[in-house]
Amino acid sequence: MALFVEEEELVRFKHKIFSALENDPLFARVPGEELSLERYRELTFLRCRKLFEYDFLVLEEILANPLKVIVLISCLGMYDWSLGTKYLLNYQVFKDSIESSGSERHAKFIEQVESMEIFGCFALTELSHGSNTKNIRTEFVLHSPDFEAAKFWVGNMGKSATHAVVYAQLHTPDGQHQGLHSFVVQIRDPKTLLPMPGVMVGDIGRKLGQNGLDNGFALFHQVRIPRGNLLSRTGDISAEGKYTRSQAALGGFAGHLVQRESDDHRHVCGQSEAGHLHCHSFLRHPAPVRPKQRRGDSSSGVPNAAVAPAALPGSHLRPGLLLPGPLPAVCGVPHWAADEGQGRPAVNRLGDIRNDNDPNCTYEGDNNVLLQQTSNYLLRWMSERLQGHPVSSPMGSVDFLNDYDAILHQTFILPDAQDLMDSSASLRAYKWLVCYLLRGSVQKLRKQEESGCAEFEAKNNSQVYYCRSLAIAFIEHTVLEKYHKHVHSPSTPVNLQPVLKHICSLYGLWSLNKHTAILYQGGYLSGENAGKLIQDSILELCSKLKDEAVALVDVIAPPDFILSSPIAKADGELYKNLWGAVLQSPKSLERPSWWSEFCNNKPVVGKLRSRM
Amino acid sequence: MALFVEEEELVRFKHKIFSALENDPLFARVPGEELSLERYRELTFLRCRKLFEYDFLVLEEILANPLKVIVLISCLGMYDWSLGTKYLLNYQVFKDSIESSGSERHAKFIEQVESMEIFGCFALTELSHGSNTKNIRTEFVLHSPDFEAAKFWVGNMGKSATHAVVYAQLHTPDGQHQGLHSFVVQIRDPKTLLPMPGVMVGDIGRKLGQNGLDNGFALFHQVRIPRGNLLSRTGDISAEGKYTRSQAALGGFAGHLVQRESDDHRHVCGQSEAGHLHCHSFLRHPAPVRPKQRRGDSSSGVPNAAVAPAALPGSHLRPGLLLPGPLPAVCGVPHWAADEGQGRPAVNRLGDIRNDNDPNCTYEGDNNVLLQQTSNYLLRWMSERLQGHPVSSPMGSVDFLNDYDAILHQTFILPDAQDLMDSSASLRAYKWLVCYLLRGSVQKLRKQEESGCAEFEAKNNSQVYYCRSLAIAFIEHTVLEKYHKHVHSPSTPVNLQPVLKHICSLYGLWSLNKHTAILYQGGYLSGENAGKLIQDSILELCSKLKDEAVALVDVIAPPDFILSSPIAKADGELYKNLWGAVLQSPKSLERPSWWSEFCNNKPVVGKLRSRM
């Protein structure tokens, strides 16, 4: 199963990373150890530096198998998301944005990152408006007009970055506003780690999770940077201050589509097994999300230039585009679905794992914003369709909308229970559900517009129960479809098929069951038995999978050392392990240092009553 | 509104507590300050000791207005749940269990608690089985047979308790097993805080939340305690070792019923406004939950002795009975509904508040266990009804089941939207829902039993989609009914009625909407418009309440000092407050202490590749 879920090469690569960390004393963790913020930051930095020495991935390897990048990041993240993110932000996000938005003259930055002469961060978000790029207020000569324009949340900026890719509005001497651009800005002296003149840079302090990562802020006071530090892919400035827009800035729709699909997939990976397989099946064909195409260099598949959303320079720089292709899928796995927890001793690390996962729900904008983008994407396809154009996206996830009318006429044929053991039944229901919610959303929007709402308000008023439900249903349909195809493909080993099919059916029915009300409301389901049959089938599938559950989790589980959680050890001896860890925790048996406060200093009961 | 939600006297009392804390330097918090576990424990202890000096509640006040106990605990909890719980466990739970389970000979312990000569904890749970009292393994002469029988999780035991109320199985010299009993056990010397001989006592270490509270463990190695320390309400032992069961141990059903209803209400308080009002309306009539009746001294209202669940001594000591009446309702307010969070700087304390709330979901057993008890309670009433007995509980929450048959014949009359603005429509639908789920659960259980399942297994197999949904629907119905009555009562000020009615209707429809699938499935709803109407009404109510939302929150919000969260300050200046707090946090602008690790110690890229 492990070799089916991941190629042997990847399993080996994973094992290599895990072993290296486990055998390196710098990566050892003391159960229950209390780290100060300062020490946790230091340790994370030292571990990050060590990763340069391990240099797990050289370029040739990445080119031969791009999936290794995801495996590396997810292995580091399973060890500690602070470390995974710190490494990724410098070595991938910072470097990648210079590589892709810059030109030859920026090559020196790349070399400096690779040798750790400089350390980078990615300064997009500001104090008063997360990832809302339209409202960015930082300007060039770099200047933050007030504290609300402070760059904020920026990972690595707090303590360790020497350079930042800063997003700022570009105003040229002729008074023109040229839109959002990115600049390489030196924020600290690499010789001393002290701030550069005019840059007020600091740490936003302890966070709910990922405290090994130093998220920071920066205010710029008329900071003049070399003209060449403008990352010039979308436009450049001459010595005379004249702005020239580059051809690359006039984006096509195809890149956007692929990215949109990729973003959707980010939401999708909620179920660990299905999601895990899905990420991999999606990324086994990574060609379409390669940088060149992602950034709109390809014009193939553009259905209609009128709907291209990137008419202004910089507007293609949506947060979704700013992270390397694989990240959304990687981050997607834990996400909302993992956002649950139990009150437990810290030594078991359930709290850390939950807290470290929280930021994964906000990268690239709040999940709700991404859902809105997803429904907008579907609505655009519907207006394409209305104009007689075929619906066809590069990865095929919307192609079933060509059958929109026929699908809406379908109803649930009451199958016998056996039929529901196959995921085709859920898949059919999902197609109907997406079409039904799409119709409802179009009608709701139209009604809003007819009653005089502006587009922005109409969109806002149509999210709950309409566009938002639509986006979620579409995403779930996409996961289910991919997974269904994968599981039913001839290349799937015969001996694995039964259990994989059960997982697929369970995912389908369990997800679908959250929408049963709409299925009834719209008449796809009718009668008491339909709903009962779905529920009974879910319970039956659970009981079929129950005995396999532990083995299935073991397929994707990281080793004990990486999880570092006594109750989660593979030996299953949870009480023994917890007991051992508690006894080994520092000071577990000592009386408190403040014991004499109890023994020798008794309260005078009621002494302070009169003071109130 | 504030005076309607709480009596003036309580508002004043609350203000008195908040002011006292705010004006006392011991209770000051430094934004973003990093407390070691040791220091946080010490501070919590010192604050707890100070509460003895404030002595906010003297007995006469409690008797005059028992709601003040809840107000005190919830005020302390809003300040810091570690402190609230630490204080409550010693001063209420420990003391109350001695008072109620003990007799005159235990009075000295009460005096010692009140003067803080001793400090108590409540040792029920053990390492291998949370609140599952049937499996408790500690025995008398106190002995823990192995580490799995270690008392575990016990609040105050970790560092500060000198005495514990310990639950243990009682075996008498004649070889008889007399069931679960409680004993006062000295675990540390109050002069030194060092452990007593034979007691291995310690701290379970850092937890996900409430880290100011020292949860601990204890193993007993043949620890002999004075015979008199048996808390003797349910049975006593003579000098010759002869056991005599007391009359009080033969419990009635009435006390159980009231407690059962009280437990249900614990689940209920999910919606802050409705729940808040509900708790108070419920506890304005606290008489039925007074200790005497709770423990079954009253025999009124016993419908049938055969269904009394407390046939064995000790079996009435379900966790639900072990906490003082008001606690479940108090703890209920945050609970599951509050179990959400956002990745934010720690200085805003959203993480602390979430983490501190987590344990509230497990006190007295996991929520799911309590749900199972709730459905069992309803099922018992149904079998009563089958035997021709009327359904009538002390607080009336199940009385509508007398109309079970008629209710099941009702369907949703498609009202115009205006009718849904009144909560009667949801209330009617909920009554149908509870009856429908009750019928389904009975059928499911019968089917399981017919197919040869034992009772335990049949119950387990009938939870998902049946008994569990039943319990949730019943609880939501109970909140809605109480709140509906409260809001529509003539004593509700006329000027407050519109907004209170909107809240009530919104709570009703929003909760009901989660069950729309079942309403369709069972035929209560039919047609596309019914579901749409519910959703449209929810949206309309939201838009009606939108402008009042902040004012409504302010009615129940604690002052800024208590919340201690920059983004939550009443002035609404979230960015300004966050910016200020970040800049005031320690070391926010300093370079890291480990700066030379970056500047003077560069990695040799790839140095370790060959080692892997």
Side-chain angles (χ1 to χ4, degrees), chain A residues 47-91:
Chain A
R47 287 169 180 161
C48 187
R49 190 177 69 190
K50 201 75 176 269
L51 295 178
F52 280 73
E53 303 204 328
Y54 283 114
D55 198 23
F56 287 110
L57 269 181
V58 290
L59 189 61
E60 300 77 56
E61 282 178 286
I62 301 176
L63 294 177
N65 192 342
L67 277 173
K68 285 191 175 174
V69 179
I70 313 167
V71 171
L72 174 60
I73 298 301
S74 77
C75 285
L76 296 177
M78 279 188 267
Y79 172 75
D80 182 350
W81 273 109
S82 292
L83 176 63
T85 314
K86 187 171 190 70
Y87 181 76
L88 178 82
L89 284 173
N90 173 55
Y91 207 81

Side-chain angles (χ1 to χ4, degrees), chain A residues 159 162 186-196, chain B residues 590-592 594-596 598-600 602:
Chain A
K159 293 289 176 197
T162 60
Q186 185 178 338
I187 54 174
R188 287 189 181 91
D189 182 342
K191 298 272 167 271
T192 62
L193 274 193
L194 292 170
M196 298 302 288
Chain B
E590 267 175 46
R591 73 176 163 183
W594 38 270
W595 63 273
S596 79
F598 173 82
C599 299
N600 305 318
K602 297 295 174 189

Side-chain angles (χ1 to χ4, degrees), chain A residues 20 34 36-38 41-42 45-46 49-50 52-58 61 114 116-117 119 127-128 147 150 152-153 159 162 190-194 200-204 206-208 217 219 339 342 344-346 351 354-355 358 436 464-466 513 516-518 520-521 528 531-532 535-536 538-539 575-576 578-579 582-583 587-595 597-599 601-609 612, chain B residues 20 34 36-38 41-42 45-46 49-50 52-58 61 114 116-117 119 127-128 147 150 152-153 159 162 190-194 200-204 206-208 217 219 339 342 344-346 351 354-355 358 436 464-466 513 516-517 520-521 528 531-532 535-536 538-539 575-576 578-579 582-583 587-595 597-599 601-609 612:
Chain A
E34 197 177 343
S36 71
L37 190 59
E38 188 80 7
R41 295 280 171 79
E42 179 179 6
F45 171 77
L46 294 176
R49 190 177 69 190
K50 201 75 176 269
F52 280 73
E53 303 204 328
Y54 283 114
D55 198 23
F56 287 110
L57 269 181
V58 290
E61 282 178 286
E114 286 175 348
M116 214 204 219
E117 277 172 76
F119 203 81
L127 177 59
S128 62
F147 74 86
F152 209 81
W153 290 111
K159 293 289 176 197
T162 60
K191 298 272 167 271
T192 62
L193 274 193
L194 292 170
M200 177 184 176
V201 58
D203 194 298
I204 67 164
R206 189 170 276 275
K207 306 180 301 287
L208 175 49
F217 59 84
L219 268 182
D339 198 12
Q342 243 185 318
R344 289 276 178 194
R354 176 176 76 173
N355 289 339
D358 279 335
Y436 179 79
V464 181
Y465 300 132
Y466 296 94
N513 193 43
T516 305
I518 300 294
Y520 270 115
Q521 178 186 306
E528 193 169 18
K532 276 192 177 170
Q535 295 182 345
D536 289 349
I538 291 172
L539 293 175
Y575 299 128
K576 213 174 110 185
L578 175 56
W579 183 247
V582 163
L583 288 187
K587 300 187 189 168
S588 67
L589 293 168
E590 268 175 45
R591 74 177 163 182
S593 55
W594 39 271
W595 63 274
E597 292 285 1
F598 173 82
C599 299
N601 194 346
K602 297 296 174 189
V604 181
V605 176
K607 185 174 96 176
L608 299 171
R609 277 186 73 83
M612 291 181 290
Chain B
E34 198 176 343
S36 70
L37 190 59
E38 188 80 7
R41 295 280 172 79
E42 180 179 4
F45 171 77
L46 294 177
R49 190 176 69 188
K50 200 77 176 269
F52 281 73
E53 303 203 327
Y54 283 113
D55 198 23
F56 287 109
L57 268 181
V58 290
E61 282 178 285
E114 286 176 346
M116 215 204 221
E117 276 171 77
F119 203 81
L127 177 59
S128 62
F147 74 86
F152 209 82
W153 289 111
K159 293 290 177 197
T162 61
K191 298 272 169 272
T192 61
L193 275 195
L194 292 171
M200 178 186 176
V201 58
D203 194 298
I204 68 165
R206 189 169 276 275
K207 307 180 300 289
L208 176 50
F217 59 84
L219 268 181
D339 198 10
Q342 241 184 319
R344 290 277 178 194
R354 177 176 75 172
N355 289 340
D358 279 335
Y436 179 78
V464 181
Y465 301 131
Y466 296 93
N513 193 43
T516 305
Y520 270 115
Q521 178 185 306
E528 193 169 15
K532 277 192 177 170
Q535 296 181 343
D536 288 348
I538 292 172
L539 294 175
Y575 298 128
K576 213 174 110 185
L578 175 56
W579 183 247
V582 163
L583 288 187
K587 300 187 190 168
S588 67
L589 293 169
E590 267 175 46
R591 73 176 163 183
S593 55
W594 38 270
W595 63 273
E597 292 286 359
F598 173 82
C599 299
N601 193 347
K602 297 295 174 189
V604 180
V605 176
K607 185 175 97 175
L608 298 171
R609 276 185 74 84
M612 291 181 292

Side-chain angles (χ1 to χ4, degrees), chain B residues 6-148:
Chain B
E6 288 172 322
E7 306 154 30
E8 190 172 347
E9 197 190 346
L10 294 181
V11 174
R12 281 185 201 288
F13 182 56
K14 214 165 159 177
H15 183 72
K16 187 169 97 171
I17 299 166
F18 285 150
S19 302
L21 303 188
E22 184 159 4
N23 294 323
D24 187 333
L26 183 61
F27 289 81
R29 282 191 274 223
V30 180
E33 190 186 20
E34 198 176 343
L35 290 174
S36 70
L37 190 59
E38 188 80 7
R39 177 64 185 148
Y40 188 14
R41 295 280 172 79
E42 180 179 4
L43 260 181
T44 308
F45 171 77
L46 294 177
R47 287 167 180 162
C48 187
R49 190 176 69 188
K50 200 77 176 269
L51 294 178
F52 281 73
E53 303 203 327
Y54 283 113
D55 198 23
F56 287 109
L57 268 181
V58 290
L59 188 61
E60 301 77 57
E61 282 178 285
I62 300 177
L63 293 176
N65 192 341
L67 278 172
K68 285 192 175 173
V69 179
I70 313 167
V71 171
L72 174 60
I73 299 300
S74 77
C75 285
L76 296 177
M78 280 188 267
Y79 173 74
D80 182 351
W81 273 109
S82 291
L83 176 63
T85 313
K86 187 172 190 69
Y87 181 77
L88 178 81
L89 284 174
N90 173 55
Y91 207 81
Q92 298 268 332
V93 183
F94 177 74
K95 198 176 103 175
D96 187 60
S97 57
I98 294 177
E99 261 177 339
S100 57
S101 301
S103 54
E104 291 69 27
R105 70 173 187 250
H106 302 109
K108 66 169 191 288
F109 291 121
I110 306 295
E111 287 160 27
Q112 288 172 318
V113 168
E114 286 176 346
S115 60
M116 215 204 221
E117 276 171 77
I118 65 173
F119 203 81
C121 62
F122 184 80
L124 170 72
T125 48
E126 297 179 359
L127 177 59
S128 62
H129 45 79
S131 315
N132 181 358
T133 54
K134 279 185 197 154
N135 288 340
I136 276 178
R137 297 173 55 196
T138 310
E139 299 166 340
F140 180 53
V141 170
L142 283 158
H143 183 63
S144 322
D146 58 35
F147 74 86
E148 291 192 7

